[in-house]
Amino acid sequence: MIYWKIFIAFFIPGIVGYGGGPASIPLVENEVVERFSWMSVSEFSEMLAMANALPGPIATKMAGFIGYQQGGILGTFVGVFATVAPSLLLMIGLLSLLYKFKDSPRVKTMTALIRPSIAILLGIMAFQFFRNSYFSAGALQTILLIVVSFFLLERVKVHPAFVIIGSLMYGAIFLGS
Amino acid sequence: MIQHWNLFLAFFRVGMLGYGGGPSSIPLVHKEVVEKYKWLSDDDFADILALGNSLPGPIATKMAGYIGYRVSGILGMLNAVLATIIPTIAIMIILITSLNSFREQPWVNGMTQAVVPVVGVMLATLTYDFLKKAKVNLGWLTTLLLGAGSLILIEWAGIHPGLIIFALLLVALIRPMGKKGKDTKVYVNKEQSS
């Protein structure tokens, strides 16, 4: 039963993959390459390279594509459902509970206490993005892109959509060599 | 109906502009949901992000799904999740099955390179916003201590951030509230006066 296999292959990474989509990449590889042998390692890394070049969350792109390869449109649906549904339902359940008690001082303390950690998490991600950019595009381009996008986003208040599209065009023309 | 259309648009943009996987879409979600459509306050957003980070599974769909649910129920949840993922999955299937040489094109590579520092800037701005808000509630000292502690535990001790968040939530839950809950009162007062 291929659909059941697809479900299992993506249910496990979805429920074990802490730290967002990218954290589940090795888990997906484990299921898809090692356990079910749907792809070779090189096919998997080729698919991953393609997925990384496209926008949108990575985990669902992989689930959607591998599900499609193994079981057509219905396979896509099963793969994506298995990736998204379990953790989403957990999230809605827990947050609804939290929201019900949102005026209690304890819940307010909770919200306040976790905020510095969340800031650090975001800061670490920002640092990783800058570091990746430094190694792939070089210091000069990185600084230029940082300064210009900061100016446009924070001073001129351009919507991020336009800044991102602008940077994509800039990259296609000036960094594509 | 308008609400559903806005939900769709907001998360469609998030999905199509989020280069570099789910986490890079966090600042985009913030932009749409807090700043543009004002469905959530900054506090709500921080809670969702914190809990989303502590739970397993992809972050982008957890946020989309929950926010969709908050805005307009089960249908809103489906709408937001599908708007986030369907367009990019469709592009992926079409591109891989039709032209496999696409990703080796130098201009595609250039696009991916140029967008990374921009997302970095958005994440850095969000970091600053969070620190500023934390200072209002907790004061500089606690904010700095908690921040530095988290940084050391996450980066150097390799502790999973979910564990740290759970530990902090636990502290908030079990510590005595009466006499020792002094800073809680300060926090609530500041909340009311602001």
Side-chain angles (χ1 to χ4, degrees):
Chain A
M1 184 61 190
I2 187 66
Y3 298 117
W4 176 242
K5 284 183 183 167
I6 295 174
F7 181 84
I8 290 296
F10 291 101
F11 175 76
I12 294 171
I15 207 80
V16 189
Y18 276 89
S24 66
I25 292 171
L27 299 166
V28 171
E29 188 190 10
N30 187 53
E31 299 295 322
V32 168
V33 178
E34 309 283 320
R35 195 208 293 235
F36 293 113
S37 309
W38 288 331
M39 295 175 143
S40 68
V41 175
S42 70
E43 278 171 330
F44 185 82
S45 58
E46 229 163 72
M47 178 205 63
L48 191 60
M50 172 69 94
N52 268 324
L54 294 173
I58 187 89
T60 48
K61 266 183 293 185
M62 291 195 297
F65 176 71
I66 297 168
Y68 178 78
Q69 263 197 338
Q70 298 306 318
I73 296 291
L74 190 57
T76 295
F77 177 78
V78 172
V80 170
F81 179 80
T83 307
V84 171
S87 57
L88 177 55
L89 291 180
L90 205 59
M91 172 105 168
I92 291 181
L94 285 175
L95 275 170
S96 306
L97 203 65
L98 198 66
Y99 195 63
K100 203 181 272 177
F101 300 106
K102 74 175 162 53
D103 291 325
S104 100
R106 272 187 201 281
V107 171
K108 286 198 164 157
T109 317
M110 279 179 160
T111 310
L113 274 183
I114 56 178
R115 186 156 287 156
S117 307
I118 293 292
I120 292 301
L121 269 180
L122 290 166
I124 291 173
M125 284 198 307
F127 175 75
Q128 284 165 348
F129 274 77
F130 291 142
R131 196 180 48 190
N132 284 347
S133 170
Y134 171 75
F135 285 122
S136 64
L140 197 69
Q141 294 289 356
T142 304
I143 291 170
L144 179 75
L145 283 160
I146 288 173
V147 171
V148 172
S149 60
F150 181 79
F151 177 74
L152 291 175
L153 288 167
E154 292 302 309
R155 294 285 171 265
V156 194
K157 302 276 175 199
V158 179
H159 190 279
F162 297 112
V163 181
I164 286 177
I165 290 168
S167 75
L168 290 173
M169 276 160 36
Y170 176 84
I173 297 167
F174 295 106
L175 298 179
S177 55
Chain B
M1 203 55 227
I2 290 285
Q3 195 76 301
H4 276 292
W5 177 238
N6 286 342
L7 260 181
F8 177 83
L9 278 183
F11 285 101
F12 177 76
R13 280 193 292 257
V14 168
M16 291 303 285
L17 294 169
Y19 276 85
S24 67
S25 63
I26 292 169
L28 295 166
V29 173
H30 182 264
K31 197 86 196 170
E32 297 286 342
V33 167
V34 178
E35 291 176 31
K36 183 164 182 172
Y37 291 110
K38 301 187 170 55
W39 288 320
L40 298 177
S41 69
D42 263 316
D43 281 340
D44 289 341
F45 185 82
D47 287 347
I48 291 170
L49 188 54
L51 202 62
N53 258 317
S54 316
L55 292 175
I59 185 82
T61 48
K62 263 182 294 186
M63 301 229 291
Y66 176 71
I67 294 166
Y69 179 77
R70 261 285 279 279
V71 174
S72 49
I74 299 287
L75 257 180
M77 175 189 87
L78 288 176
N79 186 357
V81 171
L82 292 179
T84 312
I85 63 177
I86 292 286
T88 58
I89 292 175
I91 295 174
M92 170 107 178
I93 290 175
I94 292 166
L95 280 181
I96 292 198
T97 45
S98 60
L99 39 126
N100 208 352
S101 59
F102 164 80
R103 72 186 166 79
E104 273 144 31
Q105 296 291 323
W107 59 269
V108 174
N109 188 21
M111 279 167 69
T112 318
Q113 281 184 21
V115 81
V116 169
V118 178
V119 176
V121 167
M122 295 173 71
L123 285 166
T125 324
L126 213 51
T127 306
Y128 177 69
D129 287 348
F130 269 71
L131 284 176
K132 217 168 47 183
K133 289 253 166 59
K135 188 209 81 180
V136 174
N137 291 335
L138 301 165
W140 270 127
L141 189 65
T142 317
T143 303
L144 284 178
L145 283 177
L146 284 174
S150 313
L151 183 64
I152 289 166
L153 288 175
I154 295 168
E155 276 296 279
W156 286 287
I159 309 270
H160 190 277
L163 285 176
I164 296 168
I165 289 168
F166 268 133
L168 287 169
L169 293 179
L170 218 58
V171 167
L173 264 182
I174 61 177
R175 71 176 194 161
M177 289 301 282
K179 296 161 201 163
K180 278 195 163 184
K182 204 179 66 190
D183 42 342
T184 310
K185 273 183 205 142
V186 172
Y187 167 65
V188 174
N189 287 342
K190 278 185 182 160
E191 183 84 337
Q192 283 161 348
S193 61
S194 65

